[in-house]
Amino acid sequence: MTTQELVAQIRAKQSFLCIGLDVDIDKIPKHLLDEEDPIFEFNKAIIDATHHLAVAYKPNTAFYEAYGIKGWKSLEKTINYLNANYPEVFTIADAKRGDIGNTSTMYAKAFFEDLAFDSVTVAPYMGKDSVEPFLAFENKHTILLALTSNLGAFDFQTKDVEGKELYKQVLEVSKAYKNSENLMYVVGATKAEYIAEIRKIIPDSFLLVPGVGAQGGNLQEVCKYGLNDQVGLLINSSRGIIYASDGTDYADAAANKALELQKQMENILK
């Protein structure tokens, strides 16, 4: 998917909502456990109920890998279902990969070619040659971890290194990577006060912003500092939407929570 196609979808739906499909089998409605593939059935119902409100879905691969080959099959079925039924939706493999060049190429092939995701999250710690193999894929996006929402972000990301915070150096250096126009960046919603500084460095890039909802991030604050001419934001909510109910009405409850966020986004975009 091109950036222009993503922006067109945002404008059409008046939404920049990304729904995180972080499925814990211990939290899904109990009646689904009788299904052959409870995780996929859960995802399918959530997607069918919310696809008109969301522009992106983001399965965190850890929640699938934890269940071995069965979990990976559930992930494969989920992305295949999205691509077959809702091809206009932007898909994110939240895998946080990144390794030496030839290994990164294989990670990229796994998510871009085999599973056909539109994007994948990548850790920048190993530098240029661990990121550029992902950027080599046409019309695919690499979402670089820049400033995350967890408490441990302060261990390294905000440390002053030769007069500049490390996350700012990551942003500036990454702009020189080959095919850097295909970069997006993860910036946590709980770090909203940093987004104005981030926009000075990457004014035109899309930011994937987790942490709105269950983690306490504020949508209005994020938009105040982060919106650009192409919107430039994907706001992710996971637990706050997908676990809105643990009963048989879980899909409807998820849709209602997604609608609440979409309506807020629509008002912001007016």
Side-chain angles (χ1 to χ4, degrees), residues 26-46:
D26 294 328
K27 294 181 179 179
I28 67 175
K30 300 304 180 191
H31 72 277
L32 291 175
L33 300 180
D34 295 328
E35 299 286 344
E36 180 182 352
D37 189 339
I39 293 175
F40 172 66
E41 292 301 328
F42 178 82
N43 283 345
K44 179 178 179 293
I46 295 287

Side-chain angles (χ1 to χ4, degrees), residues 39-87:
I39 293 175
F40 172 66
E41 292 301 328
F42 178 82
N43 283 345
K44 179 178 179 293
I46 295 287
I47 292 164
D48 286 342
T50 61
H51 68 90
H52 59 298
L53 303 168
V55 297
Y57 289 93
K58 181 180 73 64
N60 185 314
T61 61
F63 286 83
Y64 301 85
E65 293 170 290
Y67 302 109
I69 189 64
K70 288 184 178 180
W72 198 259
K73 285 291 184 184
S74 299
L75 177 64
E76 182 180 45
K77 287 162 71 174
T78 298
I79 186 62
N80 287 347
Y81 186 78
L82 278 165
N83 287 338
N85 294 278
Y86 308 110

Side-chain angles (χ1 to χ4, degrees), residues 57-127:
Y57 289 93
K58 181 180 73 64
N60 185 314
T61 61
F63 286 83
Y64 301 85
E65 293 170 290
Y67 302 109
I69 189 64
K70 288 184 178 180
W72 198 259
K73 285 291 184 184
S74 299
L75 177 64
E76 182 180 45
K77 287 162 71 174
T78 298
I79 186 62
N80 287 347
Y81 186 78
L82 278 165
N83 287 338
N85 294 278
Y86 308 110
E88 78 282 359
V89 170
F90 188 70
T91 55
I92 303 167
D94 191 2
K96 299 180 179 70
R97 296 300 199 258
D99 207 324
I100 59 172
N102 59 340
T103 307
S104 281
T105 296
M106 292 304 170
Y107 279 139
K109 284 178 177 288
F111 292 107
F112 291 154
E113 293 185 347
D114 182 49
L115 292 175
F117 275 93
D118 293 311
S119 64
V120 62
T121 56
V122 171
Y125 192 77
M126 291 181 70

Side-chain angles (χ1 to χ4, degrees), residues 131-152:
V131 178
E132 286 189 337
F134 293 93
L135 293 170
F137 287 75
E138 188 175 3
N139 292 333
K140 301 291 186 178
H141 301 268
T142 301
I143 308 179
L144 212 61
L145 300 178
L147 187 61
T148 55
S149 56
N150 61 307
L151 184 61

Side-chain angles (χ1 to χ4, degrees), residues 247-265:
T248 56
D249 66 338
Y250 72 96
D252 289 337
N256 288 335
K257 287 294 184 181
L259 180 61
E260 289 177 15
L261 277 171
Q262 184 274 323
K263 286 300 182 186
Q264 293 179 49
M265 292 172 179

